[in-house]
Amino acid sequence: MNAKDISTGTDILIDATRLHALVCALWEQAGSEPTEARLVADHLVQANLSGHDSHGVGMIPRYLRSLQDGELKLNMHAQIARDAGAVLTVEGGRGFGQVVAHEAMQAGIARAAQLGICAVGLRNAHHIGRIGHWAEQCAQAGMVSFHFVNVAGDPLVAAFGGIDARIGTNPFCAAFPRAGKPPLVLDFATSRIAFGKTRVAYNKGHQVPPDSLIDHAGQPSNEPRVVHEDPRGCLLPFGGHKGYGMAALCEILAGALSGGFTTHEDTLMTNSAIINCMMSVIVSPAAFDAPDAQGEADAFIDWLKASRRAQGVDEVLLPGEPELARCAERSAHGTPVDKATWKQISDTARAVGMTDTRIGELAGVAAG
């Protein structure tokens, strides 16, 4: 098959299987072992399929810059720094977050199956990506989980009432498994929008939603350039003081309690690295005296679904259902990658030694 440009507007549609193969090949070319390359590809492509392009393959150029800066460490594995039974402290060693978080969740799931509950403090991981991925991993094992994350040393969000970047986008996530059905998965940044969404909008020349950004003088703006060009402004927390308060607790629960670090004057990052710490609590539903937990959950869900709908709304959706719908659509019709991002990915592939011919053969579209 000849590589070609299958475009829709500013986007190129790439088959997810081909995109996965390209990501695997790129990171193996950069020095990753095959399993590491596959886990990174699994995570990034699934983020795109779920509609979270902010956490998908568009992260690849920044990851390579972090590798070149000596911050991202290839072929690292999660190390248990302390085992206290139902509490595990896991050192990430700035290895690929897609690897060390996967391994940390594996350890936590196994311990929760044994003891009923496990708190996992993961520290010093390179970018762990879409947090819903880790909640889904727990849910697939039949576990309830909730996760607090900080973006250590990389302030992008203003404190409530302030106009300087002081906090990361610090996401929160929770999931509830459902027998024979997709889990409920709640996953959101504590900023009004994720920083990666501003990158996607910037690349496409689009504006962002109102009340998402302020410029360097503290004035509201819909233009993503105010956080991508100097002098830089910052994102705003969602829900005013509520999102700000949640972001602050994510910072401390993830960064301080894990033995990692929080954001302050002495820890500010000056390169392309994204360092995450995550506090996860993983719980076996079987550990509770709740023989009809699934039935009660389903009764509540039926109650939600039976609600009268607002004008123009076809269905009341559950947490996680929009992602499932996008995944089905993109799996069938192709994963959209905007042309600016595709050029950046192609440039990154060239930088690790891949040819345009090889990029085109793997992706099924011409290199950008």
Side-chain angles (χ1 to χ4, degrees):
M1 174 180 176
N2 293 326
K4 55 184 178 179
D5 184 348
I6 307 172
S7 302
T8 171
T10 60
D11 293 337
I12 297 168
L13 293 176
I14 305 178
D15 175 77
T17 301
R18 285 183 170 275
L19 190 58
H20 188 279
L22 173 66
V23 178
C24 283
L26 189 156
W27 285 112
E28 286 191 46
Q29 184 77 27
S32 290
E33 296 292 339
T35 298
E36 174 169 277
R38 177 183 57 78
L39 286 171
V40 173
D42 287 351
H43 188 109
L44 297 182
V45 174
Q46 186 59 49
N48 283 103
L49 284 173
S50 299
H52 295 289
D53 300 329
S54 55
H55 290 66
V57 295
M59 294 302 305
I60 290 172
R62 184 164 180 178
Y63 289 176
L64 183 65
R65 294 196 300 271
S66 184
L67 176 64
Q68 293 168 336
D69 289 340
E71 294 292 339
L72 170 60
K73 310 294 184 183
L74 299 186
N75 303 311
M76 297 289 289
H77 294 280
Q79 300 294 321
I80 303 297
R82 185 179 184 192
D83 184 338
V87 180
L88 297 175
T89 304
V90 181
E91 173 60 49
R94 302 205 175 187
F96 256 125
Q98 289 82 1
V99 175
V100 296
H102 174 79
E103 293 171 346
M105 293 303 97
Q106 282 184 319
I109 290 165
R111 192 59 57 87
Q114 177 186 357
L115 300 178
I117 188 169
C118 184
V120 181
L122 172 64
R123 66 193 186 200
N124 301 324
H126 199 270
H127 190 226
I128 61 176
R130 184 178 72 94
I131 310 307
H133 195 94
W134 313 122
E136 288 163 0
Q137 181 182 347
C138 294
Q140 286 166 5
M143 300 292 174
V144 172
S145 65
F146 46 98
H147 311 259
F148 303 88
V149 180
N150 81 329
V151 188
D154 189 17
L156 297 168
V157 185
F160 181 66
I163 63 170
D164 294 325
R166 284 292 183 265
I167 314 174
T169 51
N170 295 8
F172 170 80
C173 183
F176 180 83
R178 302 173 65 203
K181 300 174 184 177
L184 303 180
V185 181
L186 177 67
D187 178 17
F188 57 83
T190 49
S191 52
R192 175 68 174 79
I193 57 173
F195 182 73
K197 294 188 187 298
T198 71
R199 186 196 73 243
V200 173
Y202 184 67
N203 282 346
K204 289 186 172 186
H206 292 175
Q207 291 188 328
V208 299
D211 303 319
S212 298
L213 307 175
I214 53 176
D215 65 19
H216 72 286
Q219 297 302 306
S221 177
N222 295 345
E223 297 293 340
R225 62 178 171 76
V226 304
V227 292
H228 289 273
E229 299 175 10
D230 293 328
R232 301 198 181 201
C234 48
L235 288 79
L236 293 173
F238 85 89
H241 67 283
K242 296 180 180 180
Y244 160 64
M246 192 165 193
L249 265 295
C250 282
E251 186 78 31
I252 292 168
L253 292 174
L257 202 55
S258 70
F261 63 101
T262 61
T263 302
H264 49 82
E265 190 69 33
D266 296 333
T267 63
L268 297 179
M269 305 294 292
T270 58
N271 49 46
S272 295
I274 307 172
I275 305 303
N276 289 137
C277 304
M278 177 167 67
M279 176 59 61
S280 301
V281 180
I282 304 169
V283 185
S284 170
F288 290 96
D289 181 22
D292 196 30
Q294 288 286 335
E296 283 297 320
D298 287 343
F300 173 66
I301 288 166
D302 291 344
W303 169 254
L304 290 177
K305 290 285 191 180
S307 174
R308 292 183 298 156
R309 297 182 293 278
Q311 186 174 0
V313 175
D314 294 328
E315 181 184 5
V316 173
L317 296 175
L318 302 172
E321 286 189 335
E323 287 81 359
L324 288 172
R326 291 189 199 104
C327 187
E329 178 185 355
R330 292 183 172 195
S331 295
H333 302 294
T335 302
V337 179
D338 68 84
K339 291 182 179 180
T341 296
W342 179 237
K343 181 181 185 305
Q344 292 163 0
I345 293 169
S346 298
D347 288 344
T348 303
R350 295 184 190 104
V352 299
M354 296 179 71
T355 65
D356 284 0
T357 299
R358 182 62 173 153
I359 295 168
E361 287 174 348
L362 289 166
V365 300

